[in-house]
Structure formats: structure tokens, C-alpha cells
Amino acid sequence: MPPSNDMSNQAPPYSSYGYPSMQPAYRQGPASHTDSSPSQDLYSQSNYQQYSQPFPNLSQLSAALGGLSGVPELEVESLRPVNLLQERTLLPPRPLEAPEPNLTPDLKKVNCSPHVTSVTGSMMVRAQSLTTVDLLISLFNTAFCSLSVLFILTVSIAFRLQIITTLLFLSYLVPDEFMYNPVSRSYGEPHRRPEVQNSTVEFIASSDYMLRPPQPAAYLFVLDVSHNAVEAGYLKYFCESLLENLDRLPGDTRTRVGFLTFDSTIHFYNLQEGLSQPQMLVVSDIDDVFIPSHDSLMVNLKESKELVQDLLNSLPAMFSQTRETHSALGPALQAAFKLMSPTGGRVTVFQTQLPTLGAGLLQSREDPNQRSSTKHLGPATDFYKKLALDCSGQQIGVDLFLLSSQYADLSSLACISKYSAGSIFYYPSFHYIHNPAQLEKFQKDLERYLSRKIGFEAVMRIRCTKGLSIHTFHGNFFVRSTDLLSLANVNPDSAFAVQMSIEDSLADSSLACFQAALLYTSSKGKRRIRVHTLCLPVVNQLSDVYAGADVQAITCLLANMAIDRSISSSLSDARDALINAVVDFVNSYKSNVSSLQQSGLVCPSAMRLFPLYIHALLKQKALRTGTSTRLDERVFAMCEFKTQPLQQLMRMVHPDLYRLDNMSDQGALHLNDTVVPQPHLLHLSAERLSRDGAFLMDCGNVFYLWIGKCCSDMFIRDVLGIPNYASIPPNMFILYCPKKACLLFVFLFFCRDDGSAKATFFQQLVEDRSESSSSYYEFLQHIEQQMSK
Amino acid sequence: MEAAVFILSLVDCCALIFLSVYFIITLSDLECDYINARACCSKLNKWVIPEMIGQCLSTMLMLVSMHWFIFLLNLPVAAWNIYRYAKVPMGNMGVFDPTEIHNRGQLKSHMKEAMIKLGYHLLCFFIYLYSMILALIND
């Protein structure tokens, strides 16, 4: 049968689902430099003058650049050299999107969307030996994020995951069962089956995939009730929130809950159905913790609901007069572990101070006079790590809410969540009266946390094409073996990253494929496997790799590596390594790809934002020096880098800045009869701000709206409902809920020109110099100096 | 007297060879997925201190019996063992940490280290054997 690209009717042979013919082309998503404001044109004009042609003829340009393979249809926009020292406008008009790999339309449809998986480059080079530079290849994955459409399948063959990978490699051997397509209920056309047509598919796992019957959802809440905790006042708000959300806890009729409170002793609560009120059992021997009575400390939620509600209502009052100042967190965690071992599940720990009693007690390591010191970034003891590994082995995930106002050694405490696949939430200076912003954030985070989807007893396996191997992992999980990650709990808000290297040449494939498979138990007790697949074309030339690079993924990967380096050696080493990364990149571009002898800093258009992002990264709380940063905040910022999804991270590093008061309808989106204007992105520099404007800065989980002194009163009235500039209260904020359910609630702070949020706003303007760090231009000059060494 | 020293060193060296082989086998079990990281690391961490003691014993013996060349041969490895043990950060569960062993190619570097030590101990074994025979003959 002659091969044809028409994929309809009778069982066409596999050869018709052909490989894309080798086109080493690449496309960068958004068009760049379509700014129409005159001042920016001036700069880009001068840059073009340099090359003395506005690129009307692609083959002319390709000849000028030299060294590119002679494919006439080359989209050279991504490779256009950009002289960073001269071009002032680098940002695209709309937020950057990941570059799309150039595959056939069918394969492109099947590829994972960037918000699920993104890769540092949309091309894979064929062999490490072809490159004289070190290639960083890495994959970011939010394995469990909410998807609008998800196909769920039952396949009874074993090794079905191997089949998917093989299908991508065009195997001719197709089992009979694959000839039936359950979605369209027709036979034939195995390439139309959902798992081949969609990048993310969920399978129902058979009993081969279960070591034990699927566990029920089990939630244990471990609450600090020392004097400090009562001062901070979180308990009342936690109880209120849990009472409201008790029905929204993911689970079914088998859901279990339990409560543990601790100060210098540990208190258990007997919630057996039939008791008239909850019974408190106190264990004061914290050196050898034992569980008083096994059965009714974790109870079925449905059966004991009234008792649970009684307990939550009375808990805040029970401890309001406490004088206990010690906190025995270690023994409480040991007790929690013992309690949850039979089933597994989720433990939520609320802590408000340094643990001072019992196993796992910590000393204060931060010297308040040395706030800019960068030592003590690693844990002080291995107690929490060991406990986390024990918990991970019993499928218990521990989430930590740290609500302390003083140093609480987060670097040691964080271990309990890091290796048991938990999440960490930190509220510095939490106080229910003095810090209403933190209180609101806590309440909203708690609401999201209690009701979000969860998966239990999960493992994740990441496979890639032969020739690639994974050598480093970033994220909260335990690596059980070379490609198997053990995740006690999975939730939609955390992301993982892996770094790969090319071991052997990818000589005989024109596609490199990656597959992440997550085996988990849903909260309703169903065992599922969710599979994400991504494939990339393999190219032979280094220039093609440059053209397909995803600068945001690269920045976040380098951030992860810098954090690892700062913990294992020192922060200044990590910062130097980041600067060297930029220098190496520019050097290698100059020597390998660009044949133009240019002075100045030239890099390909696809990567023009790379030095800017690295410069912004060096000013982040996690990696900055010179400015006083509390140790806990620094450690928390590092933990965020390891677990937040890519888009969140990028907005944290380089926020999006828009001007609001002069938006036009040019280029606006038309959605459902409303016109949504699309303002352009601005560079993060005070020179772009103006007194008579209002500017919105999107930092991911916080928005800032800065209003200049001379901003028009009409704008202030219409948008804020306040008569004029002078009546804006100095510390105003509102809580804004974006439509997308994935995100946490965001804060919108209004900054007057002289308010306190102003300082934070201005700190985010990364291109400007501050007392302790250089401006972007100075950074570029420093890079140029390093290059010529 | 000489012979006694060398016999003791020989026995010590044998023990160190067996230990290196044990390390290599356990690490390759981990690579091939026969055991998990926690089991592997706890097994290996148990034998880190005995290995250090064995190596230092051998070095001290050579120092005391004034065989300078062999002493200098043993010294780097002893120093390396002590350095490796002392450099472990406070939050790690020993020289072999199950949470870090799969990261940054640590598994490969540990394997390489164990192989080098095996080769080195074999070399030392033959040196001691030869010296012992020499000492026995001269007695």
C-alpha cells in the first residue's frame, strides 16, 4: 500500500504515519519588536543601521550570518543577532511563550502543552560531541495539574506504557486490543486512539499496580498550642477555615481525620463516635512517644462529624490561657508518624517557633547582626530528614505551615516536607492583629489547601529516549532509584524538574521523546496512572539548538542549580557560577555560530532576555547578597524555586509591568462581547514609570498597582472608586481571585508614591541600580569584561 | 618482628579489599535497582568507620615500624578517608546520603572511588606480601 499522509479510513499501515522530514526549522512563538512608540523605534533603528539592512530577504541574511544550513525557509528571527549593549527594548509586547518545536501538525497536537511540561530547548542536539559547549537539558513538569479534558482508559495489557513509547517510534507490531478505539467506538486506526492523539492520558491501573488495596484519604492536623502560638492567634482562624471546608476535603465515605496538639507535651483527641464530647489524652513522656489508644484517634469523618465540629469549636478556647513556652515538635512528628503508619495520608503541621524540646530540637543559628551572612543554608540535624524518609516509606506526606515571627530554622524544618513530597508555607511575622495581610493570605491559602485535589501513595517514573539519562532531580520528593520518584502525596500546585545529559549519540532517531508517568491513588480510592508525553525533533547543528531555546526554562533550571550549589558550597560560588553561565553562553555563541566579528555583547534573538533574567535572578531574595535578608525568608525563597511551576517562578524573578492609564484598543482581544485591551510589557526600570501614570506589576502571587502623584483623578475614581489621589489609604490592599482555579489567591497592593509598599515595588525594578547591586547595563558591561579575559 | 608487622598489614589489607568489593557490589545493586537507596546507604554508612580504622591502622603500623615508603603510600588514602568523613554536612545522614545519592552523579563518583580504592588495596596487598616474604626469608 503506498504511503500516504491522509490518515483516514481503513487501517493504514504504520508507514503512513511518517516521520516528519528533516527540517531543522524552529519557530519562536511571539513576534518581537512590534512596538510602535517612537522612542523605542529610534533605538531599534540604530541597531538595524549597524547591520545596514532591515532583513527583507531571508537568504541575504542567511548568507550574512553564514554557517546556517541552506534551507531557504529558515525562520531566522530566532537567530537574529542582538547587540545587548545597544538595543534597549528587548521585551516582547506580550508575556513570553515557550517556543514550539517544529513537528508535523499531528505530532504537534499530541505534544504536551508548556504549562504541563516545558523543556529548556525545543530542539535536541544529536550528540554531545557535536557541541563544544555544555548543554543543559532539563524538563519541568507539573504532573498533577488540572486539565480541562482528560481521557481515562482501561487497557488490560501489561507494559502498556512501553507500547506508547514504541508507538511513537513507529513499531509495526500492534496488539489487537489497540485496534479498538474506545472514544470513537470504531476499529482500526490505532493511531487515532486517545493515548496517541493526546499528550496527557490517564489509565485505570489494574491490581498489578497495587501493593495493597487503595488507601482511604487520611488527614492529620498537628497544631502548635504553645504560648507563642496563642499570641500569634492562628488557631481560631484555622478552626474556622476547617469547619467551613470540612465537606470539601477530597475523599469519599472512608475519609479519616485526626488531630494532635502539642506544646511541651503531646495531646491526642479521642473522637470515637458515641462519645458526648471529644476526650483529650495527654502524653507527657516525650522521649519515648507512645500512642494511647489506637482506634479512635483517627476517625471516620462521616461517622464522627459532630465530634470533630465540637472539637474545632472548643480548641481555641482550650489553650487561650496557656503559659507553656516550649515546643516539642520532634516528638509530635514522631507521634504523628506512628499514628498514620497503618494507612498513610497527609499530615499538616502548624508551627510558630523554634522547636526547643525533645528530639529534633534546634538552636538559633541566625545572628541578627549578620543578616547578610549566607551561612547556615543547610539543615542543622538529620532528624527531620530521617523522619521524612520514614514517612515517605509509609506513604505519609508532611506539609508545613510556618507562622513564626522570629527565626525558626526553616532550613532544618523544611526537610520534613522536602523528602516526603509535602509543601511548605511560610508567613513571616504572622500576627492576627498586627499583620492583617498575612492573616488574609493564610486564610485564603488554607481554603485552597484544604479543598484542592490530592493523590496518595504515588510514584512517578520519567523515561526518555535511549541515549539520554537523567542525572539530577529538583523538587519535593524522594528519589528511590535512578528514574523512580516516590511521592507520598501529589498536588496540583507543585512542579518537578529533572536535568538530563546525552550519554550516547541519538544517531538513529529524529525524535527525542520524554514520558512522565504518575501512578497514584485518587482521593476516592481509585488507582490511576497519568501519563504525559513530549517529543522534540533532533537536529545536527548548534545554531538550531540556539534558535529553539526556551529562555525561561533555562533561567529556572539555572536557579535550581545555583540553589543546590549555594547549599553545598557557598552562595558567592553560586552567584559566580550564574555569571559564568552567561559569559560562557555569549562566548560560545560568538565562536560557534556567529561569524560576524562584533564588538559588544551579541546573542541570538531567541536568547536575548537571558542576561536580563540572570541579572534579575541575582537580585532575588534567595540569591542576593549585600541586602539584609532574614535567613528563614531566604531559605523559603529557595524552597519556592524548587517547587513552584515555571510560569509562577518567572513572574517572581522578572515581574510583568504594564501601564494601565493609557491603554488603547489596538491589538485588543475580543472575548464574549467584551474588548480586553492588551497593554505592552515594559522594562522594569524607573525610567519607564511616570508621575502621571498608573502601573500594574504582576509578580505571580502578588500584584502591585503603583499610582503616580499626578495620575488623573478620573482614572482613580473610575478604577478604585476613590475621589482623588490624596484619599488613597497608605496600606491598602485587596484580595483578588483570578478565574483560573490553578492559582492561589493573589494580593493586589496599592502603592502610593509615598506608601510602604512602594519600597517593595521599587525593589522589583531589577534593571535599576540599588545600594547593594548594579544596574542591568553595568551587569552587561561586567559580562563583556569577563568575556575578553 | 618485621614479619609480624607485615602479616598484620596483610590481614588488614585483605579486610580492606573485601570491604571495597562489598562497597562496589552494594553500589551496583543500587544502580541496577535491586535494593533501594535507604537500604544501600545504611549498609554502606555502617562500614565507613571500620574502613577508616583499618586504613589508619595500616598507616600507623608502617609509621611505627619505620617503613617510610609504604607509610607515604598509605597516607593519602587515610587522609582522604578522614577528609571525606569530616566534610559531611550536618544535615546529611552520613557519607552516603539516600536523598543525595541519585543527584549530580554521586552514585557514579562513589563507584569510581570504590574501584580506585580496590585497585590501590590490591597493589598494597602485593607489596605487603612481597615484603612479608622478604622479611620471613631474612629472619
Side-chain angles (χ1 to χ4, degrees), chain A residues 109-113 115-116 143 145-153 183 194-195 197-202 453 530-532:
Chain A
K109 220 174 24 150
V110 179
N111 248 358
C112 259
S113 76
H115 93 271
V116 176
C145 67
S146 345
L147 296 156
S148 49
V149 178
L150 184 66
F151 285 97
I152 302 184
L153 301 171
V183 174
E195 56 260 23
Q197 289 286 318
N198 293 283
S199 58
T200 300
V201 180
E202 190 154 285
K453 229 161 64 129
R530 186 177 292 199
V531 182
H532 304 279

Side-chain angles (χ1 to χ4, degrees), chain A residues 562-588:
Chain A
I563 288 168
D564 276 351
R565 177 79 71 97
S566 61
I567 294 179
S568 64
S569 72
S570 81
L571 192 62
S572 47
D573 271 355
R575 288 173 64 93
D576 289 339
L578 279 176
I579 296 179
N580 284 338
V582 184
V583 174
D584 286 345
F585 164 71
V586 184
N587 271 335
S588 79

Side-chain angles (χ1 to χ4, degrees), chain A residues 355-649:
Chain A
T356 49
L357 211 56
L361 75 89
L362 298 169
Q363 314 284 354
S364 172
R365 293 190 293 168
E366 186 193 32
D367 178 5
N369 302 327
Q370 288 245 352
R371 280 278 161 77
S372 29
S373 98
T374 53
K375 294 187 297 183
H376 304 306
L377 291 170
T381 165
D382 62 357
F383 172 79
Y384 295 98
K385 199 188 262 201
K386 277 206 189 108
L387 193 52
L389 292 181
D390 290 334
C391 288
S392 183
Q394 300 291 351
Q395 314 296 350
I396 304 169
V398 182
D399 295 327
L400 177 68
F401 280 77
L402 189 62
L403 305 138
S404 68
S405 45
Q406 309 218 310
Y407 179 65
D409 204 349
L410 184 57
S411 42
S412 310
L413 291 180
C415 292
I416 191 77
S417 295
K418 268 197 218 173
Y419 304 107
S420 63
S423 344
I424 303 172
F425 298 84
Y426 178 49
Y427 303 92
S429 318
F430 180 88
H431 195 279
Y432 73 114
I433 299 180
H434 303 317
N435 209 336
Q438 292 285 3
L439 178 61
E440 282 245 30
K441 183 163 197 294
F442 174 63
Q443 286 177 305
K444 290 301 180 188
D445 283 349
L446 206 51
E447 196 182 317
R448 159 89 183 152
Y449 171 80
L450 291 171
S451 52
R452 73 185 177 192
K453 229 161 64 129
I454 187 172
F456 297 101
E457 46 187 5
V459 288
M460 180 152 77
R461 179 160 254 148
I462 303 183
R463 292 184 180 83
C464 32
T465 318
K466 185 157 164 297
L468 294 167
S469 73
I470 302 180
H471 70 81
T472 308
F473 301 87
H474 302 283
N476 284 2
F477 42 70
F478 174 51
V479 185
R480 269 226 306 255
S481 82
T482 350
D483 56 358
L484 193 64
L485 311 175
S486 168
L487 296 135
N489 293 343
V490 269
N491 64 73
D493 296 333
S494 47
F496 317 100
V498 294
Q499 254 175 270
M500 287 171 264
S501 59
I502 306 179
E503 303 280 310
D504 314 309
S505 159
L506 298 167
D508 46 358
S509 41
S510 70
L511 285 181
C513 294
F514 307 93
Q515 189 173 70
L518 179 72
L519 169 65
Y520 69 101
T521 301
S522 74
S523 52
K524 307 241 184 302
K526 303 272 187 301
R527 196 91 169 126
R528 297 282 169 85
I529 307 176
R530 186 177 292 199
V531 182
H532 304 279
T533 318
L534 175 74
C535 63
L536 303 173
V538 178
V539 296
N540 288 316
Q541 300 231 349
L542 193 56
S543 54
D544 297 332
V545 178
Y546 279 121
D550 179 354
V551 63
Q552 296 186 322
I554 294 176
T555 310
C556 291
L557 173 69
L558 284 172
N560 278 336
M561 290 168 68
I563 288 168
D564 276 351
R565 177 79 71 97
S566 61
I567 294 179
S568 64
S569 72
S570 81
L571 192 62
S572 47
D573 271 355
R575 288 173 64 93
D576 289 339
L578 279 176
I579 296 179
N580 284 338
V582 184
V583 174
D584 286 345
F585 164 71
V586 184
N587 271 335
S588 79
Y589 176 70
K590 202 169 185 170
S591 51
N592 289 329
V593 180
S594 157
S595 59
L596 298 165
Q597 292 307 318
Q598 293 289 335
S599 66
L601 220 59
V602 184
C603 72
S605 171
M607 293 283 286
R608 66 189 186 278
L609 294 173
F610 180 53
L612 178 59
Y613 285 158
I614 298 293
H615 176 68
L617 200 56
L618 289 170
K619 293 196 174 184
Q620 286 299 298
K621 245 187 219 166
L623 296 168
R624 70 184 182 196
T625 52
T627 320
S628 153
T629 317
R630 292 168 67 175
L631 195 53
D632 276 350
E633 288 186 26
R634 187 189 286 275
V635 171
F636 178 65
M638 289 183 170
C639 294
E640 291 272 275
F641 267 102
K642 292 262 177 164
T643 54
Q644 289 298 312
L646 190 66
Q647 284 76 17
Q648 282 283 89
L649 273 186

Side-chain angles (χ1 to χ4, degrees), chain B residues 10 125-135:
Chain B
L10 199 64
F125 178 80
F126 286 113
I127 292 180
Y128 293 148
L129 191 62
Y130 177 73
S131 309
M132 180 188 82
I133 292 177
L134 218 56

Side-chain angles (χ1 to χ4, degrees), chain A residues 739-758:
Chain A
K739 289 254 167 53
K740 274 196 286 197
C742 249
L743 293 178
L744 305 172
F745 287 88
V746 298
F747 273 83
L748 177 54
F749 283 94
F750 296 93
C751 319
R752 281 169 49 133
D753 208 9
D754 47 358
S756 64
K758 174 194 173 191

